[in-house]
Every structure is written in C-alpha cells, then in structure tokens.
C-alpha cells in the first residue's frame, strides 16, 4: 500500500467533549483540521477503563482507534498517530480498541489481539503494539 492514501477506516475522536467519526489520515495536518471543527458531547461516551491508552489521561483530544494488528490500513494509522502523539504531546489521549478481522486475509488477527490483551495485563502493550505494526 502506498503511504498518503486515505483509508476506509475511521476514528472516533473526543475533542473538548466532542465526538466525531472522521476518516483515518496519513497526514497530521489533515487530522488536526478535521478535529478542529467538532461539536460537544459527553467525554464518558468514548472513555474506557480496560483498554490501553497513551498520552495525557486528561487531554482535551481523545482518539479511540478500533484496530486490527494484521490490517495494512491500521498499520498506516500507526504511523499517523505516532506523529500526532509526538507533535501534540499533552493534547492527545490515544485509546486502542481491538477490532480483529476474522477473515482468510487476516488469519492471525484474533490471536494477535488476545496476545495484545496479555501484553496489556503485563504493562507491555505499547512495545507489543509497535513491534507488530513495524514488522507487519
């Protein structure tokens, strides 16, 4: 897959109490532009207590990604959010939720998601997450 192509996957974003479903972006400035035009909803609609997250727990922007470790589009969003988190430290909270595709094209997606849960229980989710996407 060529980098820079907008994928069919979406993010749910909570921004200062706002919730929106926006297309996944490979360009940080496009993402920031999309997030800047949101309406208000209760942040509790997207917050979770058992899913791994990174970033500021009280950040004004909360991103919830539904992802599959074996999905090539999800791998692209990995690069996008690595940049977003680096460029907007303290402003973004990024929550990862499993959405493994159980298809012949993704034969290891479900077991990778289970292993991710085990890594999370051991405090090692993010190194596991990063390694799977980097080696995909």
């Amino acid at each position: 897959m060529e980098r820079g192509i907008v994928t069919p996957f979406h993010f749910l974003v909570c921004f200062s109490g706002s919730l929106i479903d926006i297309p996944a972006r490979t360009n940080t400035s496009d993402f920031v532009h999309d997030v800047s035009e949101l309406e208000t909803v209760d942040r509790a609609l997207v917050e979770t207590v058992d899913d791994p997250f990174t970033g500021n727990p009280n950040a004004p922007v909360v991103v919830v990604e539904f992802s599959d470790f074996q999905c090539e589009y999800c791998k692209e969003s990995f690069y996008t959010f690595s940049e977003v988190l680096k460029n907007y430290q303290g402003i973004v909270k990024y929550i990862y939720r499993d959405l493994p595709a159980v298809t012949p094209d993704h034969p290891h997606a479900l077991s990778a998601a289970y292993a991710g849960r085990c890594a999370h229980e051991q405090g090692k989710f993010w190194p596991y997450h990063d390694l799977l996407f980097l080696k995909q």
Side-chain angles (χ1 to χ4, degrees):
M1 188 177 114
E2 189 177 319
R3 295 215 50 203
I5 296 174
V6 176
T7 70
F9 289 83
H10 293 258
F11 297 102
L12 289 177
V13 179
C14 180
F15 174 70
S16 296
S18 301
L19 179 66
I20 191 169
D21 180 17
I22 61 171
R25 299 292 190 188
T26 56
N27 182 312
T28 303
S29 63
D30 289 343
F31 170 79
V32 172
H33 175 266
D34 288 346
V35 169
S36 69
E37 301 182 1
L38 306 179
E39 297 178 17
T40 301
V41 298
D42 187 351
R43 180 181 178 120
L45 293 173
V46 296
E47 295 283 0
T48 62
V49 296
D50 61 343
D51 290 312
F53 76 89
T54 189
N56 177 358
N58 300 309
V61 177
V62 178
V63 177
V64 180
E65 180 181 15
F66 296 82
S67 188
D68 173 348
F69 285 120
Q70 206 169 5
C71 167
E72 66 185 71
Y73 299 107
C74 299
K75 179 180 181 174
E76 286 301 308
S77 74
F78 161 74
Y79 291 110
T80 300
F81 273 94
S82 294
E83 287 297 309
V84 168
L85 290 167
K86 182 175 77 176
N87 294 333
Y88 299 95
Q89 291 180 10
I91 298 172
V92 177
K93 176 181 180 182
Y94 171 71
I95 301 172
Y96 182 93
R97 287 195 182 163
D98 297 308
L99 186 63
V102 183
T103 66
D105 293 342
H106 297 188
H108 307 292
L110 188 58
S111 57
Y114 284 136
R117 288 287 159 182
C118 293
H120 180 51
E121 289 174 6
Q122 298 170 37
K124 300 193 185 249
F125 177 79
W126 294 107
Y128 173 82
H129 166 276
D130 295 355
L131 184 64
L132 283 186
F133 283 125
L134 290 170
K135 299 289 185 180
Q136 187 187 91

